[in-house]
Amino acid sequence: MTRVKLTGVLDGGRYFEGPRWHAGRLWFVDCMERTLLSLTPSGEREQHAKFEDDTPCGLGVLPDGKIVVLTMFRKRLMAFADGRLSLYADLSRIAAGTIDDMIVDGLGRAYVGDLGFDLPPPPDRGPVGRIILVMPDGETRVVADGLRFPNGIAVSADNRRLVVAEMDGGCLAEYDIAADGGLNFRRRFGSMKAPDGICLDHEQAVWVASFDEDAFIRVDRDGRELQRIEVPGRRAIACVLGGPERRTLFCLSAVTSPEQLRQRKSSARVDVVDVEIPGAGYP
């Protein structure tokens, strides 16, 4: 098993989330600062928007290039274009709990994780998480349930496979995507502690940010660990493959803990490393 070392490109944030590679830049949010940010390959940061009334988290990119940002507690998706935010979808009537991460596939369909409970997590929570589908025409419906804290979501390049991290379940759940966007459960695979953000590569492997293992882990379709990138003393939050050939793994991490997060104590950074197998799909 190969071990590699990360190179820091941005430090000094609060809690970075939702990394997406788009138009030659890394897009992401700082949840605690409630900002939408982007980063050039050379490390130049730009702030694009401020969310005054809610906490941003997951991101997606529509086929027309608009960025969609999820806001957790008011349960909305906001579109960002031409320097402005506008309402894309209001999920407050369909979501059973806080919404967390999301992805937009190549057909413009948004898949949104619904925790099924309101944060902070109750001690007696169970497999109540769901995935909500938002179609390009605005139609919304629940397409998966029975998940234990659905977190990072990724879709294959052919828009036929969806993988979601079950943070409380310590594994990944895989679905086949039907022509109408519906999800058909296939299986669970892999074993890691508190999987958070994920992305896919050309070998159908999954890069997983393991929050409780302080590591970014690459697993194959059978769940076998292929590679591990450790960030000792830092919580691994999310990752994405970007760069000109999508061979740069952007790793978002933070010095924090669940207890410190409740006290809004966190220090975030972005690191990079070049990998052999390029990214594929969404993000």
Side-chain angles (χ1 to χ4, degrees), residues 256-270:
T256 191
S257 68
E259 295 76 19
Q260 289 174 319
L261 283 176
R262 284 191 281 271
Q263 300 169 20
R264 298 184 59 80
K265 296 179 179 179
S266 177
S267 174
R269 64 180 291 160
V270 179

Side-chain angles (χ1 to χ4, degrees), residues 203 227 247 274-278:
E203 291 187 348
Q227 194 170 354
R247 295 180 189 272
D274 290 334
V275 297
E276 180 181 355
I277 308 302

Side-chain angles (χ1 to χ4, degrees), residues 15-20 57-59 100-103 149-155 163-167 171-172 192-200 205-212 215-219 235-241 249-253 282-283:
Y15 197 85
F16 296 150
E17 256 284 14
R20 309 291 183 249
C57 192
L59 268 69
D100 185 37
D101 211 339
M102 65 167 289
I103 197 63
F149 201 125
N151 211 315
I153 306 174
V155 173
V163 179
V164 56
E166 288 191 82
M167 198 167 197
C171 65
L172 305 172
M192 64 287 297
K193 296 178 181 178
D196 200 333
I198 64 173
C199 63
L200 307 177
V206 187
W207 278 101
V208 185
S210 175
F211 189 88
D212 283 351
F216 297 89
I217 304 167
R218 182 174 180 252
V219 298
R235 301 292 185 163
I237 298 171
C239 53
V240 70
L241 285 158
L249 184 68
F250 291 86
C251 300
L252 279 56
S253 64
Y282 312 91

